[in-house]
Amino acid sequence: MRSDRAPLGLKIAAGAGLAFLHLPILLIFVYAFTTEDTSYQWPPPGLTLEWFAVTWNRPDVWEALGLSLKVACFSTAIALVLGTLCAAAVARSRFFGREAISLLVILPIALPGIITGISLRSAFHLMDIPFSTLTIVLGHATFCIVVVYNNAVARFRRTSASLIEASMDLGATSFQTFRLVILPNIATALLAGGMLAFALSFDEVIVTTFTAGRQQTLPIWMLEELVRPRQRPVTNVVAMVVVLVTFLPILGAYYLTRGTETVAGHGK
Amino acid sequence: MSDAASPSRLSDTLWRRPRLLLLLLLIPPALWLGIVYLGALFALLAQSFFSIDDFTGLIRYEWTLRTYGELFRAANLDIILRTVAMATAVTIGAAIIAFPIAYFAARYARGKWKAVFYLGIMLPLWSSYLVKVYAWKLILAREGILNWLFETLHLGWLLNAYLSLPVVGGNSLSVSWTGTFLVFLYVWLPYMILPVQASLERIPPSLIEASGDLGADPRATLRNVILPLALPGIVAGSIFTFSLTLGDYIIPQIIGTSARMIGQAVYQFQGTAGNIPLAAAFAVVPIVIMGIYLTIARRAGAFDAL
């Protein structure tokens, strides 16, 4: 006989596990309002909104945020194009080297980030390429491709080939078919993949430390504060904002791909 | 006339020759990954076969295995063994905590709860890595919430007794191996939950019923039916937890003792020490370990569970 109710022990273990995953993030929200500014004292001696105003007036935070957004936009755009092309090729046909291509796409995220980072750095060094926004984007786009690819390849497999044949039979050219038939079918998968790629790039720190030179993206700014804490209250506020900013694309990607077999996010 | 005809002629060509279309689709991503990624990777690997001149501190561009020999010096071997031990501990810990969550989500969560569990695993997975590390810095700090909790429950003596233990203890949790372990465990846990959940969802409920009908108690069913079928998922998850721990250099730098792990060694050798060949040789270590690991995992059927 199979009971549909979970044993109590399992419920407690699963609930405790979820709590373990979420309580540390909730703690960040409390610390953003604390009046204590020299230590990580718990419980907070008082609550204040003061640090939000202080953070708002900090030019270095705005600059780091701006650079992060710029890098994430460019990397996402490149990853969208390359990831979709790659997915279209792999999903539709069998060819020599197909396995190698899918491995190549996954490799940048399967190998530890430090290896990707140090490889790019020594390559830039060998070729005398100075560090710039471009070098950051080169690194980010490389590991963002896989996220778009995973989402797009799943959708291509579910899209029926007869749709495309029907469109061509009815006299549409390849380009019209792409614009009017293929694109509407894969649009939500691309949007979801793009959002996840954006979140991945916005948050990336390990590869970025090797490709940024002196520039500061928001994660690099946070890393500086973690290694040498200077303005703890400002860091608390920035940490909370970063959590909120990354949650939005994840929720968006979830609602866009809900109900399909492969829900976005499995690809990280 | 010819202007209007050329796009449609191109379109016809693409339709008649799918191989050409395939080639056009593949060239941009293959070029990007081939040049930017593989090129850089080989540039790094090549450097590991050079060596550094002890007197001048400059790189000698002659093929040699001397740099790899240096990996086996006691201090460097310590770093490698320490990192592998940590990765193993994190992987085992993650498997134990992940299993009940994955099992509940796969077998009992329905409707609304399914979505709650899905997002409950996905949001921590995707939220900022640094913010998560920062949260643990707040938690483990001497004046932080964990110490406060122990004091409030009058269990401060227990924490102090634990911290006085060798190896796992230290001056405070934030500078101990226990601290490093907890943060690794926390940050990589979702990577373990997802594949385990995927493998559990594929177990037909009838199999579990059959086991019960044949007289097995729940414990025996878990051991003889569910765990063997979930094993590929656990192995798939362990690929992530193991690989990510091997290469990380930020967590042990912020929370932990002064003893280094592989990632930190790579970072220092290429940065302050300026010994790129040794850094490159160190970077090969996780690649080789993961290569061996993946070969074993493939035999265990882990790739079907990804």
Side-chain angles (χ1 to χ4, degrees):
Chain A
M1 191 195 84
R2 177 193 164 205
S3 78
D4 269 334
R5 313 199 58 177
L8 188 65
L10 179 66
K11 268 188 196 164
I12 294 172
L18 272 195
F20 174 65
L21 277 176
H22 286 269
L23 290 181
I25 297 177
L26 289 179
L27 198 68
I28 291 280
F29 284 76
V30 180
Y31 268 98
F33 297 96
T34 184
T35 48
E36 171 67 41
D37 63 350
T38 52
S39 77
Y40 300 125
Q41 191 194 341
W42 182 272
L47 298 176
T48 174
L49 286 171
E50 181 194 344
W51 303 117
F52 285 84
V54 173
T55 310
W56 186 265
N57 292 318
R58 284 283 296 270
D60 56 333
V61 174
W62 283 109
E63 264 171 43
L65 178 68
L67 181 62
S68 275
L69 289 175
K70 194 163 91 178
V71 168
C73 285
F74 281 120
S75 314
T76 305
I78 297 172
L80 271 176
V81 174
L82 296 180
T84 312
L85 288 176
C86 207
V90 168
R92 277 264 164 264
S93 38
R94 324 230 147 248
F95 54 89
F96 178 73
R98 183 166 171 270
E99 296 288 311
I101 287 284
S102 38
L103 180 70
L104 185 60
V105 172
I106 296 169
L107 210 56
I109 214 149
L111 287 181
I114 192 166
I115 293 176
T116 311
I118 188 176
S119 309
L120 287 171
R121 190 193 182 98
S122 51
F124 292 150
H125 184 73
L126 282 178
M127 292 189 288
D128 277 325
I129 302 176
F131 293 120
S132 64
T133 311
L134 178 73
T135 53
I136 308 181
V137 170
L138 277 174
H140 281 204
T142 305
F143 58 73
C144 282
I145 294 175
V146 63
V147 186
V148 177
Y149 168 84
N150 275 349
N151 276 284
V153 92
R155 186 63 64 89
F156 270 124
R157 289 207 173 112
R158 293 193 316 118
T159 309
S160 163
S162 51
L163 272 180
I164 297 165
E165 280 165 21
S167 159
M168 305 289 267
D169 287 347
L170 292 169
T173 66
S174 298
F175 306 106
Q176 285 169 327
T177 307
F178 176 75
R179 194 158 46 90
L180 300 172
V181 178
I182 300 175
L183 205 53
N185 261 303
I186 61 168
T188 51
L190 289 191
L191 196 57
M195 283 175 162
L196 295 175
F198 188 92
L200 191 60
S201 163
F202 187 76
D203 176 41
E204 215 290 330
V205 63
I206 291 189
V207 177
T208 321
T209 50
F210 292 96
T211 56
R214 293 242 180 97
Q215 309 162 87
Q216 278 198 326
T217 61
L218 204 55
I220 301 248
W221 184 91
M222 285 243 5
L223 182 62
E224 287 282 308
E225 288 294 317
L226 271 170
V227 179
R228 279 175 290 278
R230 280 171 306 172
Q231 294 96 13
R232 294 172 202 234
V234 176
T235 315
N236 292 336
V237 172
V238 170
M240 190 188 97
V241 172
V242 168
V243 170
L244 291 176
V245 167
T246 36
F247 273 18
L248 292 178
I250 305 313
L251 288 172
Y254 171 71
Y255 282 107
L256 283 171
T257 51
R258 199 173 37 157
T260 61
E261 276 166 50
T262 41
V263 188
H266 270 299
K268 189 171 181 180
Chain B
M1 187 65 200
S2 69
D3 282 346
S6 64
S8 81
R9 188 181 305 152
L10 181 60
S11 153
D12 291 346
T13 319
L14 288 180
W15 178 246
R16 256 185 263 119
R17 305 184 57 184
R19 291 277 134 179
L20 181 69
L21 175 65
L22 187 66
L23 202 64
L24 287 176
L25 288 175
L26 272 178
I27 283 174
L31 273 185
W32 180 284
L33 288 168
I35 293 175
V36 177
Y37 188 68
L38 284 185
L41 203 58
F42 283 122
L44 175 75
L45 294 183
Q47 305 219 37
S48 68
F49 293 100
F50 300 144
S51 66
I52 202 117
D53 193 303
D54 288 334
F55 294 106
T56 57
L58 294 173
I59 299 172
R60 257 206 312 250
Y61 293 97
E62 288 165 18
W63 296 97
T64 170
L65 286 173
R66 223 182 56 143
T67 312
Y68 280 99
E70 278 189 50
L71 286 181
F72 292 97
R73 281 213 306 240
N76 293 337
L77 208 55
D78 267 359
I79 294 177
I80 296 172
L81 292 178
R82 185 183 297 132
T83 311
V84 172
M86 175 60 81
T88 313
V90 169
T91 300
I92 294 169
I96 291 171
I97 299 185
F99 193 83
I101 306 177
Y103 191 62
F104 189 91
R107 232 167 93 69
Y108 294 104
R110 291 281 169 273
K112 197 181 73 180
W113 280 103
K114 193 103 191 158
V116 167
F117 264 84
Y118 183 81
L119 286 174
I121 297 159
M122 221 38 107
L123 287 178
L125 170 68
W126 282 92
S127 58
S128 168
Y129 163 84
L130 278 176
V131 169
K132 286 186 273 194
V133 179
Y134 185 62
W136 278 91
K137 195 168 172 149
L138 300 175
I139 293 170
L140 297 175
R142 198 180 277 281
E143 68 274 17
I145 189 168
L146 207 61
N147 263 319
W148 172 83
L149 206 65
F150 274 100
E151 293 297 332
T152 316
L153 297 171
H154 300 289
L155 290 171
W157 55 273
L158 191 67
L159 185 63
N160 288 330
Y162 181 80
L163 284 175
S164 63
L165 293 174
V167 186
V168 292
N171 272 334
S172 84
L173 277 175
S174 55
V175 291
S176 69
W177 284 114
T178 309
T180 319
F181 170 77
L182 279 172
V183 182
F184 271 131
L185 182 64
Y186 175 77
V187 174
W188 309 139
L189 182 60
Y191 293 88
M192 178 63 91
I193 300 177
L194 288 175
V196 175
Q197 186 185 341
S199 69
L200 286 171
E201 264 165 6
R202 277 201 288 262
I203 302 179
S206 57
L207 229 57
I208 295 161
E209 282 169 36
S211 166
D213 289 347
L214 292 169
D217 60 13
R219 205 176 289 259
T221 305
L222 181 70
R223 200 175 55 233
N224 298 325
V225 179
I226 300 172
L227 273 183
L229 287 170
L231 194 66
I234 296 173
V235 175
S238 74
I239 294 171
F240 291 106
T241 55
F242 204 81
S243 158
L244 290 165
T245 312
L246 278 187
D248 197 281
Y249 75 95
I250 288 179
I251 291 173
Q253 180 191 357
I254 289 167
I255 290 167
T257 68
S258 54
R260 289 175 299 170
M261 292 180 56
I262 291 179
Q264 288 164 290
V266 174
Y267 189 71
Q268 282 174 8
F269 281 127
Q270 69 86 34
T272 44
N275 190 346
I276 303 264
L278 189 53
F282 251 115
V284 173
V285 174
I287 302 181
V288 170
I289 295 177
M290 283 321 292
I292 299 169
Y293 199 95
L294 288 175
T295 320
I296 300 171
R298 190 190 276 273
R299 294 234 178 95
F303 291 102
D304 312 327
L306 277 176

